[in-house]
Amino acid sequence: MWQLYQFPLCPFSRKVRLLMAEKGIPYELVRENPWDYREEFQKLNPAVRTPVLRDEGRGLTLVDSRAICEYLEETSDKNPMINGTAANRAEIRRLVALFDENFFADVTMPLLEERMKKRLVYRQSPDSRALREALRLAHDHLYYIDHLIDNRPWLAGSTMSLADLTAAAQLSVADYLGGIDWNGHDQARDWYAVFKSRPSFRPLLSERMDVIQPPTHYADVNA
């Protein structure tokens, strides 16, 4: 069976978990805090980043969430998430990159640094200016999601895709850390509520990151 090395608030691990759940691929979780720099984990991934997907029986180790998702797409026919025409597949990959790179850099990474790592690792107080900037940039990204959903049933087109899973994974971490103000973003909120009610998403909503607790609305599928 696959083993997924991750920690609860890793958005890239969440993306892989959502994809594996949607495809019905069994796996077991292995808790890994990259900031501990375990020697055994460094051997699996010299970059010391999660997720890492490993099948010890086959001697197969996959690193990097996009590489992992592409592998799963190519080896599992169930519920394809990079689908449609060549143009549509390109659009899916464009949006995956947008949320993995831009949203993460603007919103998720600063929130993880200020509200998770500074509390659990550095024992420091968060930088309020960095948090305000992350919240401001989150609004810009939500406006873009609003725009996409105004024009498409799903982010990349007519069907759910890896673009939706990627965006939902990033948003779920930001929401857990109190970095999302849904006011004025009805389209984005309604789209995200659909994900919160999916069976693949429920395990994420039930998990907690050590002493850090999410807002009360976080796990409410109706909020």
Side-chain angles (χ1 to χ4, degrees):
M1 180 184 290
W2 289 110
Q3 291 184 314
L4 181 65
Y5 290 76
Q6 56 85 56
F7 65 95
L9 291 185
C10 172
F12 306 105
S13 301
R14 287 184 168 216
K15 173 179 66 174
V16 172
R17 293 176 64 182
L18 287 171
L19 180 60
M20 295 182 80
E22 291 289 342
K23 287 182 169 294
I25 300 172
Y27 65 93
E28 61 181 27
L29 294 175
V30 178
R31 175 65 180 267
E32 188 66 49
N33 296 331
W35 53 89
D36 290 339
Y37 291 97
R38 277 196 322 117
E39 183 177 352
E40 293 85 353
F41 186 62
Q42 291 184 59
K43 291 177 181 177
L44 294 177
N45 181 11
V48 199
R49 288 196 287 262
T50 53
V52 169
L53 189 63
R54 179 166 171 74
D55 185 333
E56 188 171 0
R58 290 191 289 165
L60 181 60
T61 301
L62 305 174
V63 172
D64 181 81
S65 67
R66 271 187 266 184
I68 292 170
C69 289
E70 292 277 354
Y71 174 90
L72 296 173
E73 274 292 291
E74 292 179 14
T75 57
S76 173
D77 294 333
K78 183 178 179 181
N79 290 342
M81 291 290 168
I82 304 176
N83 48 22
T85 65
N88 188 235
R89 295 194 302 274
E91 175 67 355
I92 291 168
R93 290 184 171 100
R94 179 187 75 85
L95 289 171
V96 168
L98 177 72
F99 288 103
D100 270 350
E101 297 171 14
N102 297 70
F103 189 97
F104 178 71
D106 291 343
V107 182
T108 317
M109 184 171 66
L111 289 169
L112 285 168
E113 181 72 16
E114 300 300 328
R115 289 188 167 160
M116 186 194 75
K117 290 188 73 174
K118 282 192 174 180
R119 182 172 182 182
L120 299 180
V121 183
Y122 306 132
R123 310 298 183 186
Q124 297 175 357
S125 299
D127 182 337
S128 59
R129 288 176 297 179
L131 289 173
R132 284 196 299 270
E133 180 65 5
L135 288 165
R136 183 187 71 80
L137 292 172
H139 275 292
D140 292 342
H141 286 283
L142 288 172
Y143 282 126
Y144 186 56
I145 293 175
D146 291 336
H147 164 73
L148 292 175
I149 296 301
D150 271 340
N151 294 279
R152 305 167 173 175
W154 297 91
L155 294 186
S158 60
T159 60
M160 184 176 67
S161 73
L162 188 61
D164 299 279
L165 304 187
T166 305
Q170 293 286 342
L171 277 166
S172 69
V173 174
D175 196 34
Y176 186 106
L177 295 169
I180 299 296
D181 179 1
W182 296 102
N183 289 323
H185 300 290
D186 291 344
Q187 299 94 323
R189 179 171 53 197
D190 291 346
W191 163 84
Y192 184 59
V194 171
F195 267 94
K196 290 173 74 171
S197 64
R198 293 186 71 82
S200 63
F201 213 87
R202 290 172 193 162
L204 304 184
L205 296 176
S206 66
E207 289 186 3
R208 298 295 178 265
M209 182 68 191
D210 302 336
V211 297
I212 302 171
Q213 295 298 312
T216 54
H217 71 262
Y218 169 75
D220 185 353
V221 296
N222 297 312

mmCIF file of all heavy atoms in Angstrom, residues 127-148:
data_model
loop_
_atom_site.group_PDB
_atom_site.id
_atom_site.type_symbol
_atom_site.label_atom_id
_atom_site.label_comp_id
_atom_site.label_asym_id
_atom_site.label_seq_id
_atom_site.Cartn_x
_atom_site.Cartn_y
_atom_site.Cartn_z
ATOM 1 N N ASP A 127 3.865 38.143 12.941
ATOM 2 C CA ASP A 127 4.029 39.491 12.415
ATOM 3 C C ASP A 127 2.678 39.961 11.886
ATOM 4 O O ASP A 127 2.181 39.440 10.884
ATOM 5 C CB ASP A 127 5.079 39.472 11.299
ATOM 6 C CG ASP A 127 5.366 40.855 10.723
ATOM 7 O OD1 ASP A 127 4.507 41.746 10.846
ATOM 8 O OD2 ASP A 127 6.445 41.034 10.136
ATOM 9 N N SER A 128 2.087 40.923 12.535
ATOM 10 C CA SER A 128 0.740 41.366 12.157
ATOM 11 C C SER A 128 0.714 41.969 10.759
ATOM 12 O O SER A 128 -0.282 41.831 10.032
ATOM 13 C CB SER A 128 0.201 42.376 13.177
ATOM 14 O OG SER A 128 1.046 43.501 13.265
ATOM 15 N N ARG A 129 1.789 42.618 10.349
ATOM 16 C CA ARG A 129 1.817 43.200 9.001
ATOM 17 C C ARG A 129 1.807 42.111 7.934
ATOM 18 O O ARG A 129 1.113 42.248 6.915
ATOM 19 C CB ARG A 129 3.060 44.076 8.841
ATOM 20 C CG ARG A 129 3.010 45.391 9.629
ATOM 21 C CD ARG A 129 4.309 46.151 9.507
ATOM 22 N NE ARG A 129 5.422 45.392 10.076
ATOM 23 C CZ ARG A 129 6.678 45.817 10.084
ATOM 24 N NH1 ARG A 129 6.994 46.976 9.536
ATOM 25 N NH2 ARG A 129 7.639 45.068 10.627
ATOM 26 N N ALA A 130 2.555 41.043 8.163
ATOM 27 C CA ALA A 130 2.562 39.934 7.207
ATOM 28 C C ALA A 130 1.190 39.284 7.125
ATOM 29 O O ALA A 130 0.741 38.889 6.039
ATOM 30 C CB ALA A 130 3.612 38.908 7.615
ATOM 31 N N LEU A 131 0.502 39.168 8.254
ATOM 32 C CA LEU A 131 -0.836 38.576 8.258
ATOM 33 C C LEU A 131 -1.835 39.459 7.515
ATOM 34 O O LEU A 131 -2.666 38.964 6.748
ATOM 35 C CB LEU A 131 -1.300 38.350 9.700
ATOM 36 C CG LEU A 131 -0.581 37.233 10.452
ATOM 37 C CD1 LEU A 131 -1.002 37.224 11.915
ATOM 38 C CD2 LEU A 131 -0.865 35.876 9.815
ATOM 39 N N ARG A 132 -1.756 40.772 7.730
ATOM 40 C CA ARG A 132 -2.668 41.684 7.025
ATOM 41 C C ARG A 132 -2.459 41.614 5.516
ATOM 42 O O ARG A 132 -3.417 41.635 4.734
ATOM 43 C CB ARG A 132 -2.479 43.119 7.523
ATOM 44 C CG ARG A 132 -3.090 43.399 8.890
ATOM 45 C CD ARG A 132 -3.204 44.898 9.145
ATOM 46 N NE ARG A 132 -1.898 45.555 9.133
ATOM 47 C CZ ARG A 132 -1.132 45.709 10.204
ATOM 48 N NH1 ARG A 132 -1.542 45.242 11.384
ATOM 49 N NH2 ARG A 132 0.028 46.333 10.111
ATOM 50 N N GLU A 133 -1.204 41.522 5.094
ATOM 51 C CA GLU A 133 -0.920 41.444 3.665
ATOM 52 C C GLU A 133 -1.442 40.131 3.077
ATOM 53 O O GLU A 133 -1.990 40.114 1.968
ATOM 54 C CB GLU A 133 0.586 41.570 3.429
ATOM 55 C CG GLU A 133 1.018 41.505 1.971
ATOM 56 C CD GLU A 133 0.518 42.671 1.120
ATOM 57 O OE1 GLU A 133 -0.108 43.609 1.671
ATOM 58 O OE2 GLU A 133 0.745 42.637 -0.096
ATOM 59 N N ALA A 134 -1.290 39.034 3.806
ATOM 60 C CA ALA A 134 -1.815 37.753 3.329
ATOM 61 C C ALA A 134 -3.334 37.806 3.192
ATOM 62 O O ALA A 134 -3.898 37.297 2.210
ATOM 63 C CB ALA A 134 -1.405 36.631 4.277
ATOM 64 N N LEU A 135 -3.998 38.414 4.162
ATOM 65 C CA LEU A 135 -5.453 38.546 4.098
ATOM 66 C C LEU A 135 -5.872 39.411 2.915
ATOM 67 O O LEU A 135 -6.865 39.122 2.237
ATOM 68 C CB LEU A 135 -5.979 39.135 5.405
ATOM 69 C CG LEU A 135 -5.950 38.211 6.620
ATOM 70 C CD1 LEU A 135 -6.139 39.007 7.912
ATOM 71 C CD2 LEU A 135 -7.023 37.143 6.508
ATOM 72 N N ARG A 136 -5.131 40.483 2.658
ATOM 73 C CA ARG A 136 -5.446 41.355 1.523
ATOM 74 C C ARG A 136 -5.297 40.602 0.202
ATOM 75 O O ARG A 136 -6.168 40.668 -0.676
ATOM 76 C CB ARG A 136 -4.531 42.575 1.543
ATOM 77 C CG ARG A 136 -4.843 43.591 0.433
ATOM 78 C CD ARG A 136 -3.821 44.706 0.382
ATOM 79 N NE ARG A 136 -2.528 44.244 -0.116
ATOM 80 C CZ ARG A 136 -2.255 44.060 -1.414
ATOM 81 N NH1 ARG A 136 -3.191 44.292 -2.336
ATOM 82 N NH2 ARG A 136 -1.063 43.647 -1.792
ATOM 83 N N LEU A 137 -4.197 39.872 0.068
ATOM 84 C CA LEU A 137 -3.966 39.131 -1.166
ATOM 85 C C LEU A 137 -4.959 37.981 -1.338
ATOM 86 O O LEU A 137 -5.311 37.622 -2.469
ATOM 87 C CB LEU A 137 -2.534 38.606 -1.194
ATOM 88 C CG LEU A 137 -1.448 39.685 -1.326
ATOM 89 C CD1 LEU A 137 -0.068 39.090 -1.137
ATOM 90 C CD2 LEU A 137 -1.542 40.390 -2.668
ATOM 91 N N ALA A 138 -5.410 37.412 -0.224
ATOM 92 C CA ALA A 138 -6.424 36.353 -0.305
ATOM 93 C C ALA A 138 -7.683 36.866 -0.992
ATOM 94 O O ALA A 138 -8.311 36.147 -1.786
ATOM 95 C CB ALA A 138 -6.743 35.815 1.082
ATOM 96 N N HIS A 139 -8.066 38.109 -0.705
ATOM 97 C CA HIS A 139 -9.243 38.691 -1.360
ATOM 98 C C HIS A 139 -9.044 38.739 -2.864
ATOM 99 O O HIS A 139 -9.978 38.455 -3.633
ATOM 100 C CB HIS A 139 -9.526 40.101 -0.818
ATOM 101 C CG HIS A 139 -10.332 40.116 0.434
ATOM 102 N ND1 HIS A 139 -11.656 39.731 0.491
ATOM 103 C CD2 HIS A 139 -9.993 40.470 1.694
ATOM 104 C CE1 HIS A 139 -12.110 39.835 1.723
ATOM 105 N NE2 HIS A 139 -11.120 40.283 2.479
ATOM 106 N N ASP A 140 -7.849 39.130 -3.323
ATOM 107 C CA ASP A 140 -7.593 39.190 -4.761
ATOM 108 C C ASP A 140 -7.777 37.819 -5.406
ATOM 109 O O ASP A 140 -8.374 37.695 -6.482
ATOM 110 C CB ASP A 140 -6.174 39.694 -5.020
ATOM 111 C CG ASP A 140 -5.991 41.156 -4.639
ATOM 112 O OD1 ASP A 140 -7.005 41.863 -4.509
ATOM 113 O OD2 ASP A 140 -4.832 41.581 -4.471
ATOM 114 N N HIS A 141 -7.270 36.795 -4.763
ATOM 115 C CA HIS A 141 -7.411 35.438 -5.301
ATOM 116 C C HIS A 141 -8.877 34.990 -5.279
ATOM 117 O O HIS A 141 -9.330 34.319 -6.212
ATOM 118 C CB HIS A 141 -6.545 34.472 -4.510
ATOM 119 C CG HIS A 141 -5.084 34.601 -4.806
ATOM 120 N ND1 HIS A 141 -4.509 34.086 -5.951
ATOM 121 C CD2 HIS A 141 -4.085 35.192 -4.114
ATOM 122 C CE1 HIS A 141 -3.209 34.355 -5.948
ATOM 123 N NE2 HIS A 141 -2.925 35.020 -4.850
ATOM 124 N N LEU A 142 -9.590 35.341 -4.224
ATOM 125 C CA LEU A 142 -11.010 34.972 -4.159
ATOM 126 C C LEU A 142 -11.810 35.669 -5.248
ATOM 127 O O LEU A 142 -12.742 35.077 -5.818
ATOM 128 C CB LEU A 142 -11.575 35.303 -2.778
ATOM 129 C CG LEU A 142 -11.109 34.395 -1.641
ATOM 130 C CD1 LEU A 142 -11.580 34.952 -0.294
ATOM 131 C CD2 LEU A 142 -11.618 32.967 -1.813
ATOM 132 N N TYR A 143 -11.467 36.923 -5.552
ATOM 133 C CA TYR A 143 -12.153 37.613 -6.648
ATOM 134 C C TYR A 143 -11.931 36.885 -7.970
ATOM 135 O O TYR A 143 -12.840 36.818 -8.810
ATOM 136 C CB TYR A 143 -11.654 39.062 -6.766
ATOM 137 C CG TYR A 143 -12.240 39.999 -5.735
ATOM 138 C CD1 TYR A 143 -11.416 40.778 -4.924
ATOM 139 C CD2 TYR A 143 -13.625 40.122 -5.572
ATOM 140 C CE1 TYR A 143 -11.938 41.636 -3.971
ATOM 141 C CE2 TYR A 143 -14.168 40.979 -4.623
ATOM 142 C CZ TYR A 143 -13.320 41.728 -3.828
ATOM 143 O OH TYR A 143 -13.854 42.584 -2.875
ATOM 144 N N TYR A 144 -10.739 36.324 -8.156
ATOM 145 C CA TYR A 144 -10.482 35.587 -9.394
ATOM 146 C C TYR A 144 -11.287 34.293 -9.432
ATOM 147 O O TYR A 144 -11.819 33.920 -10.483
ATOM 148 C CB TYR A 144 -8.983 35.290 -9.535
ATOM 149 C CG TYR A 144 -8.640 34.670 -10.866
ATOM 150 C CD1 TYR A 144 -8.985 35.295 -12.061
ATOM 151 C CD2 TYR A 144 -7.975 33.447 -10.933
ATOM 152 C CE1 TYR A 144 -8.681 34.724 -13.281
ATOM 153 C CE2 TYR A 144 -7.670 32.872 -12.161
ATOM 154 C CZ TYR A 144 -8.023 33.508 -13.326
ATOM 155 O OH TYR A 144 -7.733 32.943 -14.547
ATOM 156 N N ILE A 145 -11.395 33.614 -8.283
ATOM 157 C CA ILE A 145 -12.243 32.417 -8.229
ATOM 158 C C ILE A 145 -13.690 32.797 -8.525
ATOM 159 O O ILE A 145 -14.393 32.095 -9.273
ATOM 160 C CB ILE A 145 -12.113 31.721 -6.863
ATOM 161 C CG1 ILE A 145 -10.705 31.147 -6.685
ATOM 162 C CG2 ILE A 145 -13.157 30.603 -6.721
ATOM 163 C CD1 ILE A 145 -10.443 30.557 -5.315
ATOM 164 N N ASP A 146 -14.158 33.914 -7.945
ATOM 165 C CA ASP A 146 -15.517 34.398 -8.243
ATOM 166 C C ASP A 146 -15.695 34.549 -9.752
ATOM 167 O O ASP A 146 -16.722 34.128 -10.322
ATOM 168 C CB ASP A 146 -15.764 35.758 -7.577
ATOM 169 C CG ASP A 146 -15.851 35.684 -6.065
ATOM 170 O OD1 ASP A 146 -16.166 34.613 -5.528
ATOM 171 O OD2 ASP A 146 -15.599 36.721 -5.419
ATOM 172 N N HIS A 147 -14.713 35.167 -10.400
ATOM 173 C CA HIS A 147 -14.784 35.393 -11.851
ATOM 174 C C HIS A 147 -14.856 34.069 -12.613
ATOM 175 O O HIS A 147 -15.674 33.923 -13.537
ATOM 176 C CB HIS A 147 -13.552 36.186 -12.300
ATOM 177 C CG HIS A 147 -13.319 36.161 -13.770
ATOM 178 N ND1 HIS A 147 -14.110 36.868 -14.666
ATOM 179 C CD2 HIS A 147 -12.389 35.490 -14.527
ATOM 180 C CE1 HIS A 147 -13.681 36.635 -15.900
ATOM 181 N NE2 HIS A 147 -12.653 35.809 -15.849
ATOM 182 N N LEU A 148 -14.022 33.109 -12.231
ATOM 183 C CA LEU A 148 -14.036 31.819 -12.924
ATOM 184 C C LEU A 148 -15.383 31.130 -12.777
ATOM 185 O O LEU A 148 -15.932 30.601 -13.761
ATOM 186 C CB LEU A 148 -12.918 30.926 -12.379
ATOM 187 C CG LEU A 148 -11.478 31.347 -12.690
ATOM 188 C CD1 LEU A 148 -10.494 30.438 -11.968
ATOM 189 C CD2 LEU A 148 -11.213 31.321 -14.202
#
